[in-house]
Amino acid sequence: MARTIAVLGASGTGKSTLVDRMCALEGQPHPAAAPGELRVATFTHLDETWQAIDTPGSIELLHVATDALLAADAAVVCVAPDAAGALLASPYLHAVEAAGTPAIIFINRIDEATDRVRDIVAALQDYAGQPIVLRQVPIRDGGQVTGAVDLVSERAWSYREGAPSTLIELPAGMLDREQEARSALLEHLSEFDDHLLEELIDDKEPPSAEVYAICAKILAENRAIEALIGSAAHGNGIVRIMKALRHEAPPPAALRERLQAQASLSEPPIAVVFASAHRKHLGKTLLLRALEPLAAGRPVGGRPAGQLTPADPRDSHHLDEVPEGMIVSAVKADHLSAGRLATAGELHETPAWHRPQPPVAYRILAPVAERDSVKLSGALASLAEGDSALIVSQDPATGGALVGTQGPLHLRLVRQRLKDVFGMEVDEVLPAADYRETISRSHETAYRHKKQTGGAGQFADVRLVIAPGARGSGFTFSEVVKGGAVPKNYIPAVEQGAEDAMERGPLGFPVVDVSVTLTDGQAHAVDSSDMAFRIAGRQGTREALKAAGPVLLQPVCRVAIHAPALFTGSLGPIISSHAGQVLGFDTDPDAKGWERFEALVPGSVLGPLANDVRAATQGVGWFESSFDHYEELHGKAADRIIQERAKEPA
Ligand SMILES: Nc1nc2c(ncn2[C@@H]2O[C@H](COP(=O)(O)OP(=O)(O)OP(=O)(O)O)[C@@H](O)[C@H]2O)c(=O)[nH]1
Ligand SMILES: [Mg+2]
């Protein structure tokens, strides 16, 4: 039974180094990571098989970290050894909490620590729903951390470069500090265990075995997060964290039950498909984790799971049977896709916590080479299959391929994959905001369409009144024609013509909130036709629109910015600088230590706003936006948009 850990945390906190070191404990080689993708490293430790999923740290790739959580029995959250770094750890603490994954915090780079470990833990606690219990304290010599004391066993260890630590006497002068930290740990733990509480009240020393058992229980039940310290680069604290995982990480059955409950499945899933990559020459390769033994030919989600090989891309030997807990890659499994839970017979959606944040940046992509234009949407669709945060659609205004990403780094990765896998280079364009136009006053117009070319002529005559409608009313049409001046059967054609004119108004944008009334007209017994009346309706409406004081409408969006509470104060001025209106803020129910800040902003500023929010929140803030209403835009800003639009082809 192979257990799996997901290693996540902010960029540069040493996740990859930690995974490499874990593999190195028993001298096992590890595969290299592809940029932006998760890496599965398999290694043994004391006769047990482990799989570590190394994830990229950029906040724009948070969705890759949550993919890993789909397949993880436990998570290791790597954090920097300074209290200020807690902020950057917060998205990962929230992700782990939402997923319900038992977690251990690894305070890495302890060789560089300047802050006290308890201050780091206190800072992290601001963002963690569960209590964080510190299991080790550093031994310092001068400014340097030279080892760690285990607060359960009360043993002191001296670090050695790239080698397991050696047991030493607890340094003189450390006893008080160690005792204080141990009391804090026991007090924390006693909240979860009545027997321990009684022992503490009676002033009895609890045996280490009992304390270890409580630690294992609270991790498995996900009631607290333990914090360990170490230095991945120097190989310190690696054995210690493996020891904690070995004793405390739950078996795959716990993940199976958790996913079943979260996704409300009537039977337990037998596998989870948590990632996919499109590889040149190989096609779609999926990573799936067996949550039950998969005997040869056993269907996964209705059909056999294709050709299975070990997760390590360098090992291509074919697997007939897959033991419980093992991660494998599957090729030629066309019925499967990433982000699915499989029972034997069916495929199901993953739980809600696995949904990525909405895109923060939109671009229209166009292939550089003409011949690629038909291939682009297919290529993007297959990339989106393995990238839950890549949202692909068609730009309604231009028909181009509109991609929504988590930011510039994510977009760059998408472009790189288009190039590497599909050999396609693309240009990117910022999509225009979705402007509209309307009219500011009523106008009456008469229009006669008359043509005499050769045989049959064309004749239609209409009198139209157009008037501004209420905001949100769109286009309405009515008629008050008396005495059949325009025969009934031609009236739908006039309406159609008027509607045609709404597609692009005199300012160049779709027209909304206008009512058109047909009041009178004339028909000709021979030359009138639906087509003639449609043309008259269209041209008449166009002329009327021009004369009715057209005004530009800009979309106004409601945004909910999610950011650490610390930064909420700086969001108000940002909203004002974009001509937005603050609606208010509240604590974020899904993210401890964060707030949800609501505002109305013009749709045209969503792009710059995304950058400003990132810049003001050390990169971790994000927002959701939805269209709210249209409002009139006048003056220079409007003129500029209208002039830009006039340059584009109709
Ligand atoms: N001093 C010190 N440096 C470390 C330690 N662990 C990792 N590093 C260094 O920190 C840098 C980043 O380490 P990585 O392991 O690549 O960090 P990561 O978390 O995988 O980063 P991303 O994959 O970019 O998210 C490397 O130069 C490491 O050598 C440590 O314990 N002490
Ligand atoms: Mg890394």
Side-chain angles (χ1 to χ4, degrees):
M1 178 197 70
R3 278 184 289 178
T4 297
I5 53 169
V7 182
L8 36 150
S11 201
T13 50
K15 300 173 295 295
S16 301
T17 312
L18 177 64
V19 170
D20 292 353
R21 287 292 185 165
M22 287 173 164
C23 294
L25 278 181
E26 294 186 4
Q28 281 140 65
H30 49 78
E37 286 178 25
L38 43 76
R39 161 177 75 137
V40 179
T42 306
F43 59 96
T44 55
H45 180 60
L46 305 177
D47 296 331
E48 283 185 334
T49 303
W50 287 89
Q51 297 164 130
I53 310 178
D54 180 18
T55 62
S58 162
I59 196 71
E60 292 182 27
L61 302 173
L62 184 61
H63 57 285
V64 182
T66 60
D67 288 346
L69 290 176
L70 273 182
D73 301 314
V76 173
V77 181
C78 283
V79 305
D82 58 283
L87 188 76
L88 301 178
S90 61
Y92 303 95
L93 293 171
H94 296 152
V96 162
E97 193 172 327
T101 312
I104 292 180
I105 289 175
F106 186 61
I107 304 174
N108 188 29
R109 307 181 80 121
I110 201 73
D111 52 307
E112 297 175 334
T114 45
D115 289 344
R116 295 187 314 176
V117 169
R118 67 175 113 156
D119 294 338
I120 299 170
V121 169
L124 290 164
Q125 189 66 70
D126 287 346
Y127 300 108
Q130 293 121 314
I132 300 174
V133 294
L134 183 62
R135 291 279 305 265
Q136 291 174 295
V137 285
I139 301 172
R140 291 182 198 258
D141 186 358
Q144 216 40 43
V145 175
T146 58
V149 181
D150 193 311
L151 294 174
V152 178
S153 66
E154 301 199 86
R155 286 175 167 180
W157 300 89
S158 172
Y159 288 154
R160 289 189 301 158
E161 180 64 37
S165 306
T166 38
L167 191 60
I168 53 165
E169 287 283 321
L170 186 71
M174 246 202 99
L175 192 65
D176 284 353
R177 196 156 58 81
E178 187 273 338
Q179 284 298 319
E180 193 187 323
R182 177 173 158 89
S183 304
L185 168 71
L186 294 179
E187 206 172 297
H188 256 312
L189 295 180
S190 69
E191 287 167 28
F192 305 103
D193 192 279
D194 290 341
H195 185 248
L196 178 64
L197 183 62
E198 280 164 26
E199 282 173 325
L200 294 188
I201 291 169
D202 296 345
D203 229 2
K204 276 198 209 135
E205 263 307 296
S208 296
E210 179 193 338
V211 183
Y212 278 126
I214 299 168
C215 289
K217 189 178 80 179
I218 61 173
L219 185 79
E221 292 174 3
N222 198 15
R223 296 170 67 181
I225 302 177
E226 296 177 332
L228 298 172
I229 62 175
S231 165
H234 295 284
N236 303 143
I238 315 296
V239 174
R240 184 65 195 80
I241 193 170
M242 282 315 301
K243 181 175 178 215
L245 289 166
R246 186 175 140 82
H247 289 291
E248 297 165 19
L255 173 64
R256 186 170 66 220
E257 279 166 29
R258 187 162 71 239
L259 291 174
Q260 179 182 3
Q262 289 171 341
S264 313
L265 305 186
S266 55
E267 54 180 319
I270 62 168
V272 53
V273 190
F274 63 97
S276 88
H278 220 105
R279 306 234 182 272
K280 204 167 185 171
H281 309 306
L282 252 188
K284 187 173 77 170
T285 309
L286 297 164
L287 282 176
L288 66 88
R289 183 166 189 226
L291 299 173
E292 280 181 14
L294 302 179
R298 181 174 183 189
V300 174
R303 277 189 268 156
Q307 200 171 302
L308 303 179
T309 57
D312 188 331
R314 297 163 307 169
D315 185 351
S316 58
H317 87 271
H318 198 93
L319 297 163
D320 281 328
E321 314 213 334
V322 181
E324 176 188 14
M326 187 177 182
I327 295 175
V328 293
S329 18
V331 287
K332 302 204 176 83
D334 287 335
H335 70 297
L336 299 179
S337 55
R340 292 284 183 284
L341 293 175
T343 53
E346 277 180 89
L347 291 170
H348 304 268
E349 294 291 321
T350 50
W353 59 258
H354 182 242
R355 277 182 215 130
Q357 290 162 1
V360 299
Y362 285 92
R363 291 289 182 282
I364 298 167
L365 299 186
V368 172
E370 186 66 35
R371 65 188 142 78
D372 286 334
S373 47
V374 272
K375 284 199 321 201
L376 179 64
S377 64
L380 284 170
S382 63
L383 290 185
E385 234 182 73
D387 182 340
S388 54
L390 172 64
I391 307 298
V392 181
S393 61
Q394 201 180 32
D395 178 43
T398 62
L402 184 66
V403 299
T405 64
Q406 297 288 318
L409 173 88
H410 186 205
L411 179 65
R412 212 176 324 125
L413 271 171
V414 169
R415 295 183 58 163
Q416 191 63 43
R417 287 178 193 147
L418 278 175
K419 190 168 165 202
D420 294 347
V421 183
F422 300 95
M424 236 181 256
E425 304 249 18
V426 290
D427 288 326
E428 58 180 77
V429 192
L430 205 63
D434 222 1
Y435 293 103
R436 298 282 184 273
E437 60 179 89
T438 190
I439 52 174
S440 52
R441 54 179 180 265
S442 299
H443 184 78
E444 182 167 7
T445 192
Y447 188 87
R448 173 167 292 187
H449 174 64
K450 191 175 174 190
K451 248 185 187 164
Q452 201 67 52
T453 44
Q458 294 179 27
F459 182 89
D461 183 290
V462 294
R463 180 169 284 273
L464 301 167
V465 174
I466 68 168
R471 201 59 69 236
S473 62
F475 165 73
T476 50
F477 180 85
S478 56
E479 57 99 1
V480 291
V481 178
K482 291 206 185 67
V486 177
K488 281 267 178 260
N489 56 317
Y490 292 136
I491 290 177
V494 178
E495 176 172 3
Q496 186 62 59
E499 209 174 338
D500 292 344
M502 300 294 143
E503 280 169 17
R504 185 172 174 141
L507 306 182
F509 299 96
V511 185
V512 293
D513 304 342
V514 168
S515 72
V516 177
T517 309
L518 175 67
T519 55
D520 201 1
Q522 260 183 52
H524 184 275
V526 179
D527 292 345
S528 281
S529 65
D530 280 345
M531 202 197 38
F533 271 100
R534 183 166 173 174
I535 292 170
R538 183 172 67 218
Q539 296 307 105
T541 306
R542 277 191 184 152
E543 286 190 1
L545 285 171
K546 260 188 229 158
V551 284
L552 189 66
L553 291 175
Q554 70 169 347
V556 176
C557 296
R558 177 181 278 261
V559 295
I561 305 175
H562 298 249
L566 190 66
F567 297 128
T568 324
S570 58
L571 296 177
I574 291 179
I575 295 298
S576 309
S577 74
H578 289 297
Q581 179 196 343
V582 174
L583 298 175
F585 60 92
D586 211 341
T587 52
D588 191 332
D590 301 323
K592 174 139 188 264
W594 281 40
E595 284 180 334
R596 223 170 149 272
F597 188 95
E598 293 210 36
L600 292 172
V601 296
S604 57
V605 308
L606 290 178
L609 182 66
N611 295 340
D612 289 356
V613 166
R614 283 274 158 94
T617 60
Q618 289 189 21
V620 294
W622 58 280
F623 65 78
E624 312 164 77
S625 64
S626 56
F627 170 77
D628 195 77
H629 64 276
Y630 278 107
E631 77 181 11
E632 290 184 16
L633 185 66
H634 297 278
K636 279 211 188 83
D639 294 344
R640 202 177 50 228
I641 293 158
I642 294 163
Q643 277 161 18
E644 280 301 311
R645 179 68 178 154
K647 289 185 207 150
E648 293 168 26

